[in-house]
Amino acid sequence: MKKGLLLIVCLMTALLIDAKTIFVKAGSNGNGTAWNNAFGNPQQALKVAANGDQIWVAKGTYAPTTSNNRNLSFQLIEGVALYGGFAGNETQLTQRNTNQNQTILTGEIGTPSLDDNSFTIVYAENVTQKTIVDGFILTRGAANGFGASGDLSFSGAAMFNKEASPTIKNCTFKNNYAREGAAIYNYASNGGTYNPTIANCNFIANKADFDGGAIFNMALNGQSSPNIRNCNFEKNQSTYGAAILNKGVNGKVKAAITNCVFSANASILSGAIVYNLREGRGESNSIMTGCKFIENEAVNGDSFGASTVTASSSNAQNRGGAVLRSY
């Protein structure tokens, strides 16, 4: 037993020793080993990163590609933490200031219009909560294609999580556009259970043509259980579910939404805040605790649409009674 424990300790120590910090600074042309020898783009860092590594990204604007290829994204690596908000001289993570050092991941490629921007800025597949995105502004993704629901050209303009449970913190998602899930699309399938964490984030002025102006949680023969806490949803738009849409298709969505503020979100039809939809033997549930709902609006008067919703609000001032709807 003692030999076994010693072996485990040795292996863990070896992994910690091997873990490294990779540096990225706009305009640099180094190999990522230090701020004065930084990579010029997070894409370069992600290509060499391994489980346990951290990528520190200095203020600036970074796109997934310098070409016009709309299919390219920043693809996350299991166990790699991607941190923004650095000035470019810090020696400790606690020294960064995300407000002063805005670090932008943009879908703006091609011409200045949204029409030819990246379909998805950040893509995650089969990663756990050890995979972190923290301290970024994600903007101008455009999933404006004509594929099926869950297709990258159609869903998740800023971030698409396929069978993934990343940790997303201290980020702002603004001015992204998609057919569904303009800011984040969480996709659970193949019988798996996935529980991404979304904390201390802002979702501002994202727009979906159809469903999920900010976040779309899809469970297709799987379970999507996102934990959304301390987030701000403002001026997001869609046809259904301007802030959040949950959809269970022979699967189960169970969204825990805690201490969030929803203001001035608008749905053309229903669910200005949350819309829960189920098909087949699916389930779609929202558990909302300590949230505030201010001046959200749905044309048909429903801000909430839910098959099962528990909503505890300290402020519910909405036009047209719009909060939550379920089908």
Side-chain angles (χ1 to χ4, degrees):
M1 178 67 74
K2 290 183 179 179
K3 290 183 178 180
L5 289 173
L6 181 60
L7 178 59
I8 291 172
V9 171
C10 290
L11 288 172
M12 292 180 66
T13 302
L15 288 173
L16 289 172
I17 292 173
D18 288 341
K20 60 185 179 294
T21 300
I22 305 170
F23 299 88
V24 178
K25 183 184 289 188
S28 294
N29 192 29
N31 62 10
T33 56
W35 284 124
N36 60 6
N37 195 31
F39 283 128
N41 191 285
Q43 200 70 279
Q44 298 167 290
L46 287 165
K47 289 180 179 179
V48 301
N51 196 328
D53 291 346
Q54 294 184 3
I55 299 173
W56 292 10
V57 186
K59 62 184 178 181
T61 300
Y62 306 90
T65 178
T66 56
S67 73
N68 295 331
N69 188 344
R70 304 185 68 194
N71 295 296
L72 296 179
S73 307
F74 294 111
Q75 184 161 352
L76 302 183
I77 307 299
E78 166 59 19
V80 172
L82 191 64
Y83 292 108
F86 294 92
N89 54 19
E90 294 85 349
T91 58
Q92 298 180 31
L93 183 62
T94 54
Q95 294 173 326
R96 67 180 179 146
N97 187 319
T98 57
N99 292 324
Q100 289 185 3
N101 304 311
Q102 292 193 350
T103 311
I104 300 169
L105 304 181
T106 182
E108 186 57 71
I109 61 174
T111 68
S113 75
L114 273 173
D115 294 339
D116 57 357
N117 285 8
S118 298
F119 288 130
T120 296
I121 299 170
V122 175
Y123 179 73
E125 183 173 357
N126 297 322
V127 301
T128 67
Q129 291 184 336
K130 294 189 300 180
T131 307
I132 299 171
V133 178
D134 184 334
F136 293 92
I137 297 171
L138 292 87
T139 186
R140 297 189 65 78
N144 57 352
F146 295 95
S149 178
D151 188 277
L152 284 176
S153 66
F154 194 88
S155 312
M159 188 168 188
F160 192 113
N161 299 317
K162 181 179 180 181
E163 299 174 2
S165 304
T167 298
I168 306 157
K169 299 187 296 182
N170 306 311
C171 289
T172 294
F173 298 81
K174 67 178 184 180
N175 297 325
N176 297 288
Y177 171 67
R179 306 301 183 192
E180 56 185 22
I184 299 178
Y185 189 93
N186 294 315
Y187 185 73
S189 62
N190 295 323
T193 298
Y194 304 95
N195 52 348
T197 295
I198 304 168
N200 305 317
C201 291
N202 297 305
F203 296 86
I204 302 171
N206 301 286
K207 182 179 180 180
D209 283 336
F210 304 131
D211 303 325
I215 299 175
F216 191 121
N217 300 309
M218 165 66 93
L220 177 62
N221 299 306
Q223 180 168 326
S224 179
S225 299
N227 184 344
I228 304 168
R229 62 179 186 267
N230 303 322
C231 292
N232 175 53
F233 295 82
E234 181 181 355
K235 296 181 180 178
N236 301 288
Q237 300 179 47
S238 70
T239 302
Y240 293 94
I244 300 171
L245 187 132
N246 303 314
K247 185 174 183 179
V249 182
N250 296 317
K252 181 177 181 180
V253 177
K254 186 176 181 180
I257 306 167
T258 307
N259 297 334
C260 293
V261 178
F262 298 83
S263 59
N265 300 287
S267 286
I268 295 174
L269 291 179
S270 186
I273 295 172
V274 176
Y275 190 95
N276 290 341
L277 179 65
R278 60 184 180 181
E279 295 182 7
R281 300 177 65 183
E283 298 179 32
S284 185
N285 309 311
S286 297
I287 301 172
M288 307 187 74
T289 306
C291 296
K292 295 182 180 181
F293 315 120
I294 305 168
E295 293 296 318
N296 302 283
E297 184 172 15
V299 170
N300 75 353
D302 293 306
S303 290
F304 290 102
S307 49
T308 302
V309 177
T310 302
S312 172
S313 169
S314 58
N315 190 327
Q317 303 171 5
N318 301 287
R319 289 171 285 180
V323 184
L324 210 159
R325 170 70 65 188
S326 295
Y327 289 98

